[in-house]
Amino acid sequence: GAVVSQHPSWVICKSGTSVKIECRSLDFQATTMFWYRQFPKQSLMLMATSNEGSKATYEQGVEKDKFLINHASLTLSTLTVTSAHPEDSSFYICSARDFRGGGGSNQPQHFGDGTRLSIL
Amino acid sequence: EDQVTQSPEALRLQEGESSSLNCSYTVSGLRGLFWYRQDPGKGPEFLFTLYSAGEEKEKERLKATLTKKESFLHITAPKPEDSATYLCAVAEGGGNKLTFGTGTQLKVEL
């Protein structure tokens, strides 16, 4: 259980293009999902918390107009990188917690396989 | 500000050579310490959650322990398939935000 799927796994596009990344919880519902960014040899950095039916919460320094998050259903969150530039190239990973077993906020986050974004 | 430091950055072991990975943390109000395994080009795979000092968890060749300042991931008789980057993360406050270390890249050779 607790499978998180991310799509696409790899995107290469020209500078100025907007790119949408999907994150789905396949076998559970997730009112909250999390979006991370990981640069080579660096740790995962939380970008924002996606909340179903309401606005996302962004971490300090993350431009909300640049990284648009929509969490329209209990199993789907999307991250859109608007007008992407080479400095946005990174590995983007989403996660969600499965509360079916109880444990509340102590439940671990389960991660998707990430999206490698390369902006030319 | 929460801090998580992992050591060593990289570790090369021979098959069967046991060792330990370290995760030191400073956090106000620990809500959980998590260990993940990450293979190249993949997202992290959950291994363990530890909540309180003295707690231990085991899974196959891996054993995680926790004190008030650090956690260890012990690898007993590792195999080449254990090669991966091992990440440590702490949750504080409401538990939503995870702060990750930079990981230990483990390579197990025949």
Side-chain angles (χ1 to χ4, degrees), chain A:
Chain A
V3 177
V4 176
S5 175
Q6 214 172 314
H7 178 81
S9 56
W10 195 292
V11 178
I12 302 174
C13 58
K14 294 180 179 179
S15 184
T17 305
S18 291
V19 178
K20 180 184 283 189
I21 303 169
E22 292 186 349
C23 179
R24 294 181 184 273
S25 55
L26 296 187
D27 55 351
F28 65 100
Q29 294 182 333
T31 56
T32 303
M33 291 184 175
F34 306 91
W35 287 96
Y36 292 81
R37 183 166 52 184
Q38 185 178 32
F39 291 105
K41 303 292 185 181
Q42 295 187 25
S43 62
L44 279 76
M45 297 295 295
L46 180 65
M47 298 174 64
T49 301
S50 172
N51 304 298
E52 188 267 335
S54 65
K55 292 183 180 180
T57 305
Y58 290 83
E59 294 300 303
Q60 192 173 5
V62 177
E63 299 175 57
K64 60 182 179 181
D65 295 330
K66 174 75 170 176
F67 300 99
L68 300 179
I69 291 173
N70 185 279
H71 195 151
S73 79
L74 289 171
T75 58
L76 174 64
S77 174
T78 61
L79 169 68
T80 300
V81 184
T82 61
S83 187
H85 291 285
E87 59 266 28
D88 298 320
S89 298
S90 188
F91 191 50
Y92 292 87
I93 315 175
C94 70
S95 72
R97 286 205 296 251
D98 178 6
F99 292 106
R100 290 174 296 176
S105 60
N106 293 333
Q107 284 294 323
Q109 293 182 19
H110 295 277
F111 288 82
D113 272 342
T115 297
R116 174 74 59 194
L117 176 61
S118 296
I119 308 298
L120 304 177

